[in-house]
Amino acid sequence: MELYLQINTSISLQVGLTIINTMKYIFNTILKAFSWKYTPILFIGIFIFMCSTSYAKGKAHADTSTVAHYNITKDTWIVSQNINKTRPLASMTKLMTAMVALDYSKDLNRKLTLKTRVGSRLPTKEFTRNELFHAMLIRSDNAAAETIADDYPNGRSAFIKAMNAKAKAMNLSSTEFKDPTGLSGSNLSSGTDMVDIVKAASNYDLIRKTSIKKQTIIETHYKTKIRSIVLENTNKPLLFQFDDIVISKTGFTNSAGWCVALLVEHWTKRPQQEPNAIDKFLSYFDGEPDRNIARGVLEQHVIIIMGAKNKSERIAEVQKLMYNHINDQQISQWDYDWKMNENSKE
């Protein structure tokens, strides 16, 4: 046995030396053929080849994701990469969950006991529907979504049927729901369908006002003390960067990748319509300037990212669309000041 191992080891060493010597011979032959003065060119060529291969792999991955940018106002696709590809939509599901639940009941004060079939940042206690909507839309809390679904007449299964019925009524041919959270990889949609879902969600004031909050604080009683639970928005970086986002919902699962659905409302300035001194003077007494002159057109944009490879890529895709296609149309300083003053009154 020992002799057999020695023979095998000897053969392996000989084969290894033969391969090394062959590689040396090939390398020396290449150097002789090109001469030493061409050696730097050879190494530069190898370096460029390796970089181009790496770039091609990265681009190939990027091209598999869905990137949709639709201008609702102009009824125009700005970017339409893989928009018809059906894929898991992760927690963007919760936009449909919120709509179906609000269609059933707008009573936000009714208290529900948290369901524990999935994980949660919330303790197993009673919460108002308003608190559950906040946890679901801001922090993407899965237990909150399950609790809202269970509250539906005849329970969770009837709620999921209602989700699919609403999708069918909206002619969402690529969309199907198996749960109210998006944890299931069988919750499917496409870029085009998600645009329609966001457009429909824009008609619900609760979704508009809640989904873009940077954080929410929910207070619960723990023994004799009050416990404050701080839930930060899963899309906090983009919400801090862009104040014209009016609906926001992120998503992530291993099968879906990193996803986000946004509705952006952006005022564009009309050419040659800068308000003159008289307009500004009159607006002082009216309390509100002529919007057609001062602010131009309010454009609505839907941005959908599905299947990004990480959070940074998801953010970068949105930033690229925002800066290249939306925020490049700047409003006037007076327009901006008026908007800030308007917001301060709310």
Side-chain angles (χ1 to χ4, degrees):
M1 183 67 179
E2 291 180 0
L3 179 61
Y4 172 77
L5 289 173
Q6 288 175 3
I7 292 171
N8 272 352
T9 303
S10 177
I11 292 172
S12 299
L13 289 172
Q14 288 177 4
V15 171
L17 289 172
T18 302
I19 292 172
I20 293 171
N21 290 329
T22 303
M23 290 176 66
K24 284 182 178 179
Y25 173 77
I26 294 171
F27 185 71
N28 288 330
T29 302
I30 292 172
L31 291 180
K32 287 179 182 178
F34 285 93
S35 78
W36 282 104
K37 67 179 180 179
Y38 293 112
T39 301
I41 296 175
L42 176 64
F43 280 106
I44 290 172
I46 294 171
F47 177 75
I48 292 173
F49 173 76
M50 292 174 66
C51 289
S52 63
T53 302
S54 176
Y55 171 79
K57 288 180 179 178
K59 190 174 186 300
H61 175 85
D63 288 345
T64 63
S65 62
T66 293
V67 180
H69 177 188
Y70 180 72
N71 186 320
I72 299 174
T73 307
K74 295 181 179 179
D75 189 19
T76 303
W77 286 100
I78 308 300
V79 178
S80 54
Q81 176 179 298
N82 296 322
I83 58 173
N84 295 315
K85 182 176 181 179
T86 301
R87 59 200 317 158
L89 69 161
S91 284
M92 293 191 299
T93 294
K94 294 182 176 78
L95 289 176
M96 182 63 83
T97 301
M99 288 191 285
V100 171
L102 290 168
D103 289 344
Y104 156 58
S105 173
K106 292 181 173 57
D107 182 2
L108 301 178
N109 295 318
R110 187 168 71 254
K111 290 189 175 183
L112 307 173
T113 301
L114 190 78
K115 302 300 178 182
T116 57
R117 65 171 60 96
V118 290
S120 177
R121 295 284 300 276
L122 302 174
T124 309
K125 294 180 179 294
E126 280 192 339
F127 297 92
T128 64
R129 288 179 84 233
N130 185 55
E131 290 171 329
L132 292 171
F133 274 110
H134 274 68
M136 178 179 72
L137 293 172
I138 295 172
R139 192 59 194 174
S140 202
D141 192 275
N142 293 315
E146 289 285 359
T147 305
I148 288 170
D150 271 11
D151 179 54
Y152 196 77
N154 298 319
R156 182 178 186 269
S157 60
F159 185 87
I160 295 169
K161 287 181 181 178
M163 293 174 72
N164 286 305
K166 188 173 182 69
K168 185 176 180 180
M170 292 171 61
N171 296 316
L172 306 179
S173 58
S174 301
T175 302
E176 183 178 8
F177 299 102
K178 297 294 185 181
D179 71 24
T181 64
L183 289 174
S184 172
S186 298
N187 278 22
L188 304 173
S189 192
S190 64
T192 51
D193 280 7
M194 280 306 307
V195 166
D196 288 336
I197 288 173
V198 172
K199 287 166 63 178
S202 70
N203 296 317
Y204 295 77
D205 287 340
L206 178 69
I207 297 175
R208 291 173 66 102
K209 292 176 180 178
T210 304
S211 68
I212 59 171
K213 289 182 178 180
K214 291 8 178 238
Q215 68 175 32
T216 187
I217 299 175
I218 297 176
E219 293 185 345
T220 63
H221 291 277
Y222 180 73
K223 295 182 179 180
T224 59
K225 297 181 180 179
I226 295 178
R227 176 186 174 191
S228 295
I229 303 169
V230 179
L231 302 176
E232 294 190 339
N233 200 302
T234 54
N235 200 24
K236 195 173 178 180
L238 286 175
L239 292 175
F240 268 110
Q241 189 171 1
F242 302 106
D243 62 359
D244 40 8
I245 296 173
V246 296
I247 287 180
S248 167
K249 189 68 205 74
T250 62
F252 169 76
T253 61
N254 289 332
S255 59
W258 295 80
C259 310
V260 68
L262 302 172
L263 176 66
V264 179
E265 290 184 347
H266 179 76
W267 287 100
T268 61
K269 190 180 81 171
R270 289 180 176 177
Q272 308 302 321
Q273 291 294 317
E274 182 71 21
N276 55 35
I278 295 175
D279 294 323
K280 295 179 182 180
F281 179 77
L282 292 175
S283 71
Y284 177 81
F285 293 100
D286 294 340
E288 181 175 320
D290 183 344
R291 294 190 178 204
N292 289 330
I293 294 175
R295 305 192 70 180
V297 178
L298 177 64
E299 287 193 351
Q300 289 186 313
H301 302 256
V302 177
I303 292 175
I304 306 294
I305 308 296
M306 301 174 75
K309 65 181 180 180
N310 53 49
K311 186 176 182 180
S312 297
E313 183 182 284
R314 181 179 72 186
I315 292 173
E317 288 286 358
V318 173
Q319 289 172 331
K320 184 167 61 176
L321 296 174
M322 291 291 291
Y323 285 123
N324 292 340
H325 302 292
I326 299 178
N327 286 347
D328 59 340
Q329 304 180 65
Q330 297 298 323
I331 58 177
S332 66
Q333 183 61 44
W334 183 60
D335 196 10
Y336 177 81
D337 292 340
W338 182 82
K339 179 181 179 183
M340 292 299 101
N341 183 56
E342 184 182 58
N343 290 341
S344 67
K345 295 176 183 178
E346 296 179 356

